[in-house]
């Protein structure tokens, strides 16, 4: 199916009878064909209703303003918040990295394979190590060193480089971003971390986990908030190991899980499948 006439609509509003009917009628009257529909109610007796539609409408780009006007009128009546996205839009990503490349490589592969419909517009790092990786894909790379005394200046420079990107991805970026940085990208800043937190902190968590006989290696991708590693969770995964696993085996499994988890979270975000609901998310996978 061509994406040129395909769109996505995400709606949230107080739950009450008739929401699906009025939205379906609006789309039908416009001549749109709904190809996929997912919905969730936090509490049918008075919670929040969330709906995600995929649809096809001839000449959608030209008719978008007309459709948005009708949605705005409906939103005023039903107390809706909504967003309408053209499916052929390719969001621009800014990817932050340090020295390890496994998560960046996964994102690059999925973009080049067409599995992730996005453009990696810039790679920013506090180390120069991964410049050849970005250069091999023709992506601008910027080395922005960070020290305790220059952190504010480094963040200001990084914000300049991010520019108007739609999403910022911390792809094993080994720096804590400030609350001010987080505030610039509400629900548009995604991080990945291993599952050993908070039990095993420090520079060598895999050794600490091995010393305790850990049997599960996992990773969590989440939106970043001012509270460290406590933002709404998007995706998680685990892989089982046993007593034979060395520390290097554990690191290898950890790299694999982190690649899959972050790439999946970014893909779902780009496809408008993730809706933040307070401290958690609704994911229409």
């Amino acid at each position: 199916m061509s994406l040129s006439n395909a769109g996505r609509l995400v709606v949230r509003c107080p739950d009450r009878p008739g929401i699906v009917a009025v939205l379906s009628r609006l789309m039908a009257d416009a001549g749109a064909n709904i190809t996929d529909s997912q919905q969730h109610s936090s509490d049918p007796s008075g919670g929040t209703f969330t709906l995600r539609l995929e649809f096809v409408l001839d000449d959608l780009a030209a008719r978008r303003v007309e459709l948005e006007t009708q949605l705005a009128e409906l939103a005023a009546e039903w107390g809706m918040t909504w967003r309408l996205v053209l499916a052929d839009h390719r969001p621009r990503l800014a990817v932050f990295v340090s020295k390890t490349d496994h998560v960046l490589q996964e994102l690059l592969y999925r973009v080049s394979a067409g599995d992730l419909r996005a453009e990696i517009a810039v790679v920013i790092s506090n180390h120069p190590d991964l410049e050849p990786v970005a250069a091999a894909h023709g992506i601008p790379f910027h080395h922005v060193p960070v020290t305790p005394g220059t952190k504010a200046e480094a963040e200001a420079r990084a914000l300049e480089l991010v520019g108007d990107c739609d999403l910022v991805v911390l792809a094993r970026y080994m720096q804590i971003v400030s609350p001010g940085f987080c505030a610039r990208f509400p629900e548009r800043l995604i991080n990945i971390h291993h599952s050993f937190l908070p039990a095993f902190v420090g520079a060598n968590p895999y050794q600490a986990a091995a010393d305790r006989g850990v049997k599960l290696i996992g990773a969590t991708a989440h939106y970043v908030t001012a509270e460290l590693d406590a933002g709404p969770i998007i995706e998680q995964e685990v892989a089982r190991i046993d007593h034979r696993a060395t520390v290097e085996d554990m690191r290898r499994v950890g790299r694999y899980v982190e690649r899959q988890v972050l790439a999946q979270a970014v893909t779902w975000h780009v496809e408008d499948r993730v809706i933040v609901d307070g401290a958690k998310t609704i994911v229409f996978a």
Side-chain angles (χ1 to χ4, degrees), residues 65-271:
V65 173
E66 172 192 350
L67 190 56
E68 288 180 333
T69 299
Q70 295 171 344
L71 283 166
E73 293 173 355
L74 196 62
E77 178 182 353
W78 288 75
M80 294 177 177
T81 58
W82 57 276
R83 66 176 180 266
L84 178 68
V85 180
L86 303 186
D88 62 358
H89 172 62
R90 297 178 67 89
R92 300 175 74 250
L93 312 185
V95 181
F96 282 63
V97 295
S98 287
K99 291 185 176 183
T100 58
D101 69 342
H102 58 287
V103 182
L104 173 62
Q105 294 278 19
E106 184 70 25
L107 294 172
L108 290 167
Y109 170 76
R110 294 198 183 198
V111 169
S112 63
D115 298 333
L116 172 57
R117 287 193 55 79
E119 172 195 352
I120 299 180
V122 63
V123 176
I124 300 167
S125 180
N126 57 325
H127 296 281
D129 302 55
L130 301 187
E131 182 172 9
V133 176
H137 290 79
I139 298 171
F141 179 95
H142 297 276
H143 176 211
V144 182
V146 180
T147 67
T150 64
K151 188 173 180 65
E153 292 84 354
E155 280 201 354
R157 174 57 178 154
L159 285 170
E160 292 177 0
L161 295 170
V162 169
D164 61 353
C165 285
D166 300 289
L167 177 68
V168 176
V169 182
L170 305 183
R172 294 290 289 158
Y173 181 60
M174 306 306 289
Q175 293 287 323
I176 297 173
V177 296
S178 71
F181 190 96
C182 297
R184 290 287 298 270
F185 306 100
E187 300 173 17
R188 296 190 297 122
L189 178 58
I190 296 178
N191 186 34
I192 181 77
H193 65 76
H194 56 69
S195 62
F196 298 144
L197 296 174
F200 306 115
V201 297
N204 198 353
Y206 282 95
Q207 183 65 63
D211 293 342
R212 289 289 303 277
V214 163
K215 299 298 187 289
L216 290 175
I217 307 285
T220 295
H222 61 93
Y223 288 115
V224 181
T225 61
E227 186 177 356
L228 182 64
D229 291 328
I233 293 169
I234 305 170
E235 172 66 332
Q236 295 174 296
E237 185 59 88
V238 295
R240 182 169 291 279
I241 59 171
D242 62 22
H243 59 279
R244 295 169 294 183
T246 66
V247 174
E248 187 49 44
D249 291 334
M250 295 172 69
R251 290 195 180 100
R252 186 181 306 111
V253 172
R255 289 193 295 268
Y256 174 80
V257 176
E258 288 172 355
R259 285 166 45 201
Q260 301 305 309
V261 168
L262 184 62
Q264 186 64 80
V266 172
T267 300
W268 282 338
H269 176 95
V270 164
E271 294 177 353

Side-chain angles (χ1 to χ4, degrees), residues 40-62:
H40 171 74
S41 178
S42 62
D43 181 355
S45 64
T48 300
F49 179 81
T50 306
L51 176 71
R52 178 185 183 275
L53 293 178
E54 293 183 1
F55 65 93
V56 176
L57 176 62
D58 289 342
D59 206 16
L60 175 58

